[in-house]
Amino acid sequence: MAKVAIIGAGVVGTASAYMLCKAGLDVTLIDRNPGPAQGASRANGAQLSYAYGDALASPSFLAHMPEILLRRDPAYRVRLQADPEFLIWGLRFLFNSLQSRFIANTRYLLQMAAETSDLLGDVLREFDLSFDYQSSGKMILYSTAAACQATAGTRRLKQSMGIRQEVLDRSGATAIEPALAHYPDEIARVIYSEGDATGRPDVFCTTFIERLRERYGLKTIFGEEVEKILSHAGRVSGLAFRSREPLACDLAVVASGYSMELLPWRDRLPGALWPVQGYSISAPATEKAMRVSITDLQRKIVFARLGNTVRAAGLADIGARPHHFNGERFESFRSAAVEAFGQSFAHSSNADLNAWSGVRPCTPSSRPLIRPGSLKGLYLNLGHGTLGWTLCLGSAKRLATVIKETK
């Protein structure tokens, strides 16, 4: 039985462990943190957006770029810098903003999201997992009818793929989700995707890993940082750690953006990834909290009901490296979340908002990197950006196929 080591125990690494365990491999899941899902998977937006896997680079984003660069849109920050990696990533991002590229990339992502939806159904039938999962749908709020109409082409693409979305007015949407009655601004149109879902990705990982240990004998190494991928005669032979004995393995999967530095130089393509930083709060839900997941396009904030908690997540800061928790940016985000749906969650001065910030490595096309590396037995599954939760099982399935065809 081939031994495979997966570096990174977020949702993508955990999903990869599942698919490779099912394929009959001897899997060890590794993370530098003391436990799973403590990086970008810890407190992200929690939305499983099967109908909204749109690529970040798009004609609309490109048209909006002057406002972003002039800092007239508080949801985005682009920090221009003379870093060759950033410049190459930025040029490739601009290329992928072309309409033809946006459609091709979005179609690819939606197909992978559909695979995740199907596979998650299989997982929930096979395992008893509790992670505040709820298939309650998703609503996208548009302040003007024109803004909604501008997305008609993308909706037609989704319709051709069998994705069902309804266009509602405010009263029709409020009949489904009463929390919209408390939204302070104009709602001209709402796109409602009944099949979308929510769930806690960190709890999913923790619980799922335990079940994989019991069912498939999954091994884990937490709190240890991989220092080097070892090789012999052009083939992966193991992993070296900073503070423990090396681990022998036949295959190695890099499933975390922070581990890109472990790859051989010829696998570090210029401008392949760049960090996109976001923020979130998780606060106690009130009796007026939403049941349906909501995306407020005006503020670029998503809201998800997770049991007795409301998770709000937003902002996309591109260009900051290394990243840090920016108090000013967080306060801008928190204020906007309270302004939009403050009646849905506790936010008084003494309320614990569980403030969080994380970095999601993103490719210029939004397509994750799922491919073999230059060493025999080395594989990549990373770069999912803001869609890691939505794409995790689909990308893991594709990784398993690549490994089967090339190992």
Side-chain angles (χ1 to χ4, degrees):
M1 182 184 296
K3 295 182 178 180
V4 55
I6 300 174
I7 305 169
V11 288
V12 173
T14 299
S16 299
Y18 166 63
M19 294 304 300
L20 297 182
C21 282
K22 283 181 69 72
L25 301 179
D26 182 357
V27 182
T28 301
L29 185 60
I30 302 162
D31 202 284
R32 63 180 181 177
N33 292 302
Q38 294 190 17
S41 300
R42 181 179 154 213
N44 59 32
Q47 293 186 338
L48 289 156
S49 300
Y50 305 129
Y52 198 69
D54 297 21
L56 179 61
S58 67
S60 61
F61 190 97
L62 190 60
H64 196 51
M65 188 66 75
E67 290 185 42
I68 295 172
L69 294 177
L70 292 172
R71 299 199 168 187
R72 292 175 180 169
D73 186 337
Y76 294 105
R77 285 287 184 274
V78 176
R79 184 179 298 175
L80 299 177
Q81 50 195 288
D83 185 321
E85 282 282 316
F86 177 71
L87 294 175
I88 295 171
W89 185 93
L91 289 173
R92 294 177 64 194
F93 184 91
L94 292 176
F95 170 72
N96 280 283
S97 296
L98 297 173
Q99 178 69 13
S100 60
R101 295 300 307 156
F102 168 71
I103 292 297
N105 292 333
T106 297
R107 182 187 294 275
Y108 178 92
L109 296 170
L110 290 170
Q111 290 169 341
M112 190 178 292
E115 292 169 11
T116 292
S117 178
D118 292 341
L119 288 166
L120 183 56
D122 294 341
V123 167
L124 296 179
R125 284 186 288 273
E126 183 178 358
F127 299 96
D128 179 21
L129 300 180
S130 179
F131 55 101
D132 285 327
Y133 174 76
Q134 186 171 249
S135 183
S136 56
K138 174 173 176 171
M139 290 183 171
I140 303 173
L141 312 185
Y142 291 85
S143 58
T144 67
C148 181
Q149 182 58 32
T151 67
T154 307
R155 293 203 308 277
R156 285 193 294 270
L157 166 67
K158 295 173 181 179
Q159 185 178 23
S160 72
M161 298 176 68
I163 298 172
R164 184 170 178 268
Q165 294 183 307
E166 294 181 72
V167 180
L168 307 172
D169 60 15
R170 181 166 190 156
S171 61
T174 304
I176 299 171
E177 177 47 77
L180 293 181
H182 308 294
Y183 184 75
D185 300 328
E186 177 72 16
I187 300 177
R189 296 288 187 274
V190 173
I191 302 297
Y192 176 46
S193 306
E194 187 177 12
D196 283 6
T198 56
R200 295 181 185 269
D202 56 334
V203 179
F204 171 83
C205 290
T206 301
T207 308
F208 199 16
I209 287 169
E210 286 302 318
R211 300 296 180 270
L212 294 177
R213 284 192 182 114
E214 298 164 1
R215 180 72 57 86
Y216 295 106
L218 172 70
K219 304 176 185 67
T220 57
I221 299 174
F222 293 133
E224 297 285 353
E225 186 158 6
V226 177
E227 192 170 42
K228 186 179 180 181
I229 297 173
L230 303 175
S231 63
H232 176 71
R235 184 177 187 93
V236 168
S237 61
L239 302 178
F241 295 83
R242 291 191 185 279
S243 56
R244 61 162 283 158
E245 292 297 311
L247 173 73
C249 62
D250 306 298
L251 310 172
V253 176
V254 177
S256 171
Y258 74 76
S259 298
M260 277 285 286
E261 62 188 30
L262 297 173
L263 297 173
W265 280 106
R266 52 190 178 275
D267 289 320
R268 303 184 206 179
L269 299 178
L273 294 175
W274 198 263
V276 177
Q277 184 175 2
Y279 293 80
S280 79
I281 56 176
S282 303
T286 69
E287 60 182 13
K288 296 179 181 179
M290 67 284 295
R291 181 185 63 86
V292 176
S293 175
I294 295 174
T295 295
D296 180 353
L297 279 186
Q298 180 174 309
R299 297 172 177 83
K300 311 297 191 300
I301 297 177
V302 301
F303 297 86
R305 178 72 175 268
L306 301 170
N308 295 322
T309 299
V310 169
R311 169 81 49 81
L315 303 191
D317 291 357
I318 303 170
R321 192 168 69 172
H323 80 284
H324 65 280
F325 188 94
N326 185 315
E328 181 182 349
R329 291 292 285 148
F330 173 77
E331 180 55 29
S332 172
F333 156 71
R334 186 203 66 80
S335 297
V338 170
E339 181 182 51
F341 284 104
Q343 296 193 51
S344 289
F345 57 93
H347 56 84
S348 62
S349 58
N350 60 351
D352 185 2
L353 297 180
N354 296 290
W356 174 85
S357 179
V359 169
R360 294 73 54 94
C362 186
T363 66
S365 66
S366 293
R367 299 190 189 201
L369 302 176
I370 308 170
R371 60 174 178 81
S374 56
L375 294 172
K376 189 71 173 176
L378 175 62
Y379 297 90
L380 284 66
N381 187 12
L382 47 86
H384 299 68
T386 61
L387 294 171
W389 188 207
T390 298
L391 303 178
C392 63
L393 287 162
S395 70
K397 178 182 178 181
R398 298 189 184 198
L399 170 71
T401 299
V402 170
I403 291 176
K404 181 180 179 181
E405 292 175 347
T406 59
K407 75 172 180 149

